[in-house]
Amino acid sequence: MIEVSPDSCSLAQDLAKTVSKHKGAALAIDYGANHALSDSLRGIIRHSFEHPLCAPGNVDLSAWVDFSALSRAIQSLNDSTVSLHGPVTQTHFLHALGIFERMEALAEKTEDEKKQYDLELEYDRLTEPAQMGHTYKAWAVSKGVTEPLPGFIPAVPEDGNGSGS
């Protein structure tokens, strides 16, 4: 079984048409992959995963994004003026935007060790591969924007191993 979301593809095309008409960029960050998926549909109740049909009408439904399907939908418009970017991991995206340096700067502004510790925990939650770092992806469509878009250029983490910590 493969999950397909025609509405997502239509939305991606609408975004591309709007960007093409007005210039600029549209950015999407969500959990997903750059290929077709199966079995990612899940139900969420009060921040806990539940069976999608356990309480119809009371369960939030969620599924991973197939970024390759969104890209193909935009490419099918045959608009050569629109550029696609990504998807890249959230780790890559945030490092390219300077999250490590920002976290360090914030930590240096406080002497409260608990706040420093919390900053490191939040940084790890957003960037570590086993947490949100590789589950979430950044993807964008643009026109008339200096290439490459910020966040999609190669990140150079301070420690050289890709984690920045």
Side-chain angles (χ1 to χ4, degrees):
M1 173 179 13
I2 294 177
E3 297 171 353
V4 178
S5 176
D7 288 342
S8 297
C9 292
S10 293
L11 176 61
Q13 289 179 327
D14 290 345
L15 282 171
K17 289 174 187 174
T18 300
V19 166
S20 180
K21 181 178 178 182
H22 299 286
K23 294 187 180 180
L27 171 67
I29 301 175
D30 207 340
Y31 46 91
N34 200 29
H35 55 80
L37 300 153
S38 64
D39 202 27
S40 77
L41 179 66
R42 56 184 140 185
I44 303 170
I45 299 177
R46 290 184 289 283
H47 306 286
S48 295
F49 294 121
E50 303 291 341
H51 189 279
L53 300 176
C54 74
N58 295 310
V59 175
D60 290 328
L61 299 178
S62 182
W64 280 42
V65 173
D66 176 359
F67 289 103
S68 67
L70 303 184
S71 295
R72 284 191 308 275
I74 290 174
Q75 290 165 343
S76 75
L77 296 173
N78 294 318
D79 184 345
S80 62
T81 67
V82 172
S83 299
L84 293 170
H85 310 269
V88 297
T89 64
Q90 180 169 282
T91 300
H92 176 100
F93 185 74
L94 293 175
H95 277 287
L97 293 176
I99 190 172
F100 181 73
E101 294 79 8
R102 180 65 178 149
M103 186 265 307
E104 281 188 324
L106 290 170
E108 287 175 9
K109 287 185 178 183
T110 182
E111 293 184 17
D112 184 331
E113 289 182 14
K114 168 115 173 63
K115 286 183 181 178
Q116 291 172 342
Y117 178 76
D118 287 346
L119 280 169
E120 288 182 25
L121 283 180
E122 292 162 4
Y123 166 82
D124 287 345
R125 180 171 185 251
L126 292 171
T127 62
E128 284 298 316
Q131 295 189 46
M132 296 172 70
H134 284 189
T135 302
Y136 282 75
K137 309 290 187 298
W139 174 89
V141 58
S142 70
K143 178 181 179 180
V145 177
T146 303
E147 308 291 340
L149 289 180
F152 294 92
I153 58 174
V156 182
E158 193 156 298
D159 68 358
N161 71 10
S163 70
S165 58

